[in-house]
Amino acid sequence: MLVTTFLTRFHGNLAQRMLDQLSGASPLVMFCNGANPPPDLRPHNLAGVRYWGENKNLYFAGGVNRLVELIEASWPEADCAWILNDDLEGVSPEMGERLYEVMKDAPRLAMLSPAYNSTHPPTQPHHTGGVREVSHLDGAAHMIRLEAWRKVGGYDAENFPGWGADIDWCHRARAAGYALAVDDREIVAHDWQHGTAHNDPAIKAVYQSGGWAQRLVAKHGTRALPGFGGFYG
C-alpha cells in the first residue's frame, strides 16, 4: 500500500497547488510542520485529505521522521510512503502509482525519486528512458520503502535538521545493502527557492548553521558529497 503525503508551512499558494495536483490520491496526507493553516485549508474543509499538524517546526528531518511514525501507526499495511515538498510541480497520483510499481518490482530499492530540475546532479534528468541507480538522492520528492526506513533508521534530525539529512540517510541505506534510484521517465519541477528554508530567515539559519556539509564529510569521508555543487557545495 502506498501513502502519498506532503509537508507544508503554507507559504503562498503552495499547499493549495499540491492539493490540486494530488487530488484523487488515496490516502493523501497534508502534514503541517509548525504553522497555522489558512481558513480554507483547515481540516474541516479538506474532504478526502488526512490533516496532521505539529505546533512547532520540526524542520525537514524531524518532520519526515514524525510523518513516517504517523503513517506506520495509521496504516500498518503500508509498505511505501511518497513524501513530497510543497514546492513541486508536475506530481500526480498517477506518477505516484507508477513509481510504486517500480518499488514493488525492485525489493533492493530503499528510496526512489522522479527526476527534476535542480542543482543536484543525481536527480537531474539523464534521459535514459528508465530507472537508474544513483549514490544519493535529494529528498524533495522521494518515495521511501518503510521496511528499509525501519532497518536503516530515520533521518538524523539532531545533526542534519534540514539540508544534508537525505544524503546522510542515503549513505546509511547503501551501507545496509540497499539501492537508491531515479526514474528518468518521471520528471517534475522543484522550485526550491520558493521552499520554506528560503522564505523564512530563521529557518534558513537553522538549515545552514553548524557546518552540516562538514559533518557529512566527518561522518562518511571525503566522498560524502560526490557530484553535488552549488546548493549543496
Side-chain angles (χ1 to χ4, degrees), residues 88 111-127 132-143 166 170 180-190 192 226-228 231-232:
L88 294 163
M111 189 179 285
L112 175 67
S113 175
Y116 50 83
N117 66 322
S118 71
T119 58
H120 317 312
T123 44
Q124 288 176 339
H126 283 206
H127 306 293
R132 58 185 165 88
E133 191 168 332
V134 296
S135 62
H136 302 81
L137 286 174
D138 175 79
H142 54 348
M143 186 173 290
D166 41 14
C170 290
L180 317 156
V182 171
D183 191 337
D184 282 319
R185 298 168 297 186
E186 310 290 352
I187 301 177
V188 300
H190 177 211
W192 55 268
F228 284 84
F231 181 60
Y232 272 116

Side-chain angles (χ1 to χ4, degrees), residues 38-222:
D40 57 331
L41 293 182
R42 288 177 183 161
H44 63 275
N45 288 324
L46 299 175
V49 179
R50 182 77 64 95
Y51 173 89
W52 290 331
E54 293 290 329
N55 58 13
K56 65 176 182 178
N57 186 0
L58 302 178
Y59 305 108
F60 172 72
V64 172
N65 288 346
R66 179 60 176 152
L67 186 49
V68 172
E69 289 177 3
L70 293 169
I71 288 170
E72 294 193 312
S74 299
W75 293 284
E77 69 276 25
D79 56 350
C80 287
W82 194 22
I83 300 179
L84 306 167
N85 284 15
D86 65 0
D87 53 354
L88 294 163
E89 287 190 89
V91 295
S92 68
E94 294 76 18
M95 176 184 289
E97 288 298 327
R98 291 191 295 268
L99 293 172
Y100 183 47
E101 289 301 314
V102 173
M103 293 288 277
K104 288 194 293 185
D105 290 341
R108 281 188 61 243
L109 276 184
M111 189 179 285
L112 175 67
S113 175
Y116 50 83
N117 66 322
S118 71
T119 58
H120 317 312
T123 44
Q124 288 176 339
H126 283 206
H127 306 293
T128 63
V131 179
R132 58 185 165 88
E133 191 168 332
V134 296
S135 62
H136 302 81
L137 286 174
D138 175 79
H142 54 348
M143 186 173 290
I144 297 168
R145 186 181 304 280
L146 296 175
E147 178 186 17
W149 186 266
R150 290 190 293 270
K151 290 183 178 179
V152 174
Y155 281 149
D156 181 352
E158 180 177 354
N159 287 306
F160 308 103
W163 300 332
D166 41 14
I167 305 175
D168 171 70
W169 194 89
C170 290
H171 277 289
R172 292 189 281 127
R174 292 174 63 219
Y178 287 104
L180 317 156
V182 171
D183 191 337
D184 282 319
R185 298 168 297 186
E186 310 290 352
I187 301 177
V188 300
H190 177 211
D191 192 359
W192 55 268
Q193 293 191 50
H194 288 169
T196 297
H198 290 269
N199 287 281
D200 187 321
I203 294 173
K204 187 172 184 177
V206 170
Y207 278 30
Q208 291 181 327
S209 67
W212 64 268
Q214 289 81 0
R215 284 198 298 275
L216 273 175
V217 172
K219 187 173 181 180
H220 299 291
T222 56

